[in-house]
Amino acid sequence: MSEFLSSAYKNMRPYTPGEQPQGGSFIKLNTNESPFMPSPKVIDALNRENIERLKLYPDPGAGVATSDIAGYYGIKPHNVLLGNGSDEILAFCFMAYCAAGAYASFTDITYGFYKVFAGLVGAKPHVMPLNDDFTIDIEAGIRAPGSLFLANPNAPTGLALNENEIEHIVKSRAGKITVIDEAYVDFGAKSAAPLIEKYKTLIVVQTMSKSRNLAGARIGFALCDKALIEDIAMMKFSFNPYSINRLSLLAASAAIKDDEYFKTCVSAIINARAFTADGLKELGFDVIKSSANFIFAKPKRVGGLEYYTRLKEKGILVRHFDTPRLRDYVRITIGSHDEMEKLLATTKEIWREI
Ligand SMILES: *Cc1c(COP(=O)(O)O)cnc(C)c1O
């Protein structure tokens, strides 16, 4: 770092993304991407004609994709705002509601970016420990000061709150913003999106990175009351009105309209998840019940780091978090059935070697 960095950022600790080896032949089960390609409709939409239009700026209001997403959820376009990945939407929420010393509340074990965004905007973080079984202390969430950020299902545990629990939290936090980050909701939890009309303090954040096979396109969106959309849009238009490129907007529209392909992919992941959970349990793992496209599991025969390292040596990448409450575990993204068979076979091989 140089001597010129603003003093406000001297202690900043940026987010560490999972490894993204470029090239190479890893089975990549470390960043919760989909093993499946985008919808064939997405591929058709990214044609030569649309590539030629890259000479023009994209629609800053993302009109078409916004309407398509609103149509899918049965809400109005003024209740939807697109961002460059849900990370950007989350950043805008921190900017809009937690800047300059306002509280940002989140749990100790959750998406690591919340802490980073809190630091970026100068929020006061309020960190709530999860219970010993990694479930959320709902009463602590209700009492939490300022804006509350909850991932549902949570990461990296995969545990989900049900719709009554979510509504209870949002309802009891009247007068305070509650952001529900639903990056993994399509894999087994209920979306809080139907509640946005009833609760003007609720922001539901979703992404096309996981369940719609578009991590590389960077499409996320907020669903919430019109006044909140205006707040978030103010952040976007004060930062980068063109944050979503033309091709990604086309991809978003095509993906949201191909419900059949979406359902096929999601159900393949859910089946592969059940297969993997059973296999891991047979191999002596503690497996936390997952409602997401990953499994959080404790190998027991070795520490999380050793299991991660041995898998990597054999060409399989999973995610290990070296923090006190998480280091015995690994987070394994659910890939294709074949990839999960390889994970289980490789684990058997490792068990034979030790
Ligand atoms: C992956 C993930 C995101 C970010 O998704 P993008 O839309 O790719 O930026 C946000 N929240 C959680 C909990 C995630 O796991």
Side-chain angles (χ1 to χ4, degrees), residues 23-306:
S25 55
F26 280 107
I27 295 181
K28 219 175 149 296
L29 306 177
N30 69 328
T31 49
N32 299 342
E33 290 138 320
S34 171
F36 306 118
M37 66 175 200
S39 154
K41 296 204 163 96
V42 170
I43 294 166
D44 289 345
L46 306 186
N47 56 25
R48 183 176 181 102
E49 194 187 337
N50 283 314
I51 292 168
E52 285 175 2
R53 292 210 184 97
L54 283 175
K55 68 184 182 185
L56 304 173
Y57 282 108
D59 173 9
V64 176
T66 302
S67 294
D68 290 338
I69 292 169
Y72 182 82
Y73 289 97
I75 55 181
K76 298 266 164 52
H78 66 224
N79 297 119
V80 179
L81 187 89
L82 270 76
N84 187 292
S86 55
D87 284 341
E88 189 179 64
I89 294 290
L90 289 165
F92 291 153
C93 291
F94 276 85
M95 287 161 67
Y97 304 112
C98 307
Y103 275 109
S105 294
F106 42 88
T107 57
D108 61 341
I109 295 168
T110 190
Y111 187 39
F113 229 139
Y114 302 156
K115 192 166 130 190
V116 176
F117 287 139
L120 181 68
V121 306
K124 230 183 269 163
H126 172 80
V127 179
M128 308 173 291
L130 292 182
N131 299 319
D132 286 342
D133 61 357
F134 294 137
T135 56
I136 287 170
D137 178 346
I138 290 179
E139 293 309 313
I142 291 170
R143 285 192 309 269
S147 302
L148 173 64
F149 293 80
L150 281 183
N152 192 49
N154 197 13
T157 64
L159 288 170
L161 294 171
N162 67 36
E163 62 265 46
N164 298 330
E165 292 168 318
I166 293 284
E167 182 163 10
H168 176 57
I169 293 171
V170 175
K171 187 177 186 175
S172 310
R173 288 175 46 79
K176 291 183 284 190
I177 294 286
T178 304
V179 177
I180 307 294
D181 178 353
E182 296 188 343
Y184 303 106
V185 76
D186 297 320
F187 300 105
K190 265 266 171 62
S191 176
L195 299 176
I196 61 165
E197 248 183 82
K198 198 161 161 195
Y199 300 103
K200 311 288 182 199
T201 53
L202 170 63
I203 302 173
V204 173
V205 179
Q206 290 205 5
T207 176
M208 295 199 176
S209 294
K210 278 86 187 217
S211 60
R212 293 183 197 271
N213 321 345
L214 282 173
R218 316 302 305 124
I219 296 286
F221 48 92
L223 309 173
C224 54
D225 181 58
K226 183 167 174 271
L228 301 184
I229 290 287
E230 286 164 6
D231 299 339
I232 303 168
M234 183 149 66
M235 301 303 124
K236 174 175 164 160
F237 284 85
S238 305
F239 175 74
N240 180 3
Y242 301 118
S243 71
I244 313 164
N245 72 74
R246 271 177 175 275
L247 297 180
S248 291
L249 288 174
L250 292 168
S253 278
I256 201 85
K257 286 193 221 150
D258 196 349
D259 207 36
E260 194 182 324
Y261 184 76
F262 162 73
K263 286 188 173 133
T264 305
C265 294
V266 166
S267 75
I269 296 291
I270 291 172
N271 292 335
R273 180 178 71 203
F275 166 75
T276 309
D278 289 347
L280 290 173
K281 283 179 202 158
E282 270 173 37
L283 291 167
F285 284 68
D286 276 346
V287 176
I288 294 178
K289 184 182 154 31
S290 171
S291 299
N293 67 339
F294 55 81
I295 285 180
F296 200 53
K298 181 156 108 175
K300 289 202 291 197
R301 288 191 54 172
V302 290
L305 182 61
E306 182 173 355

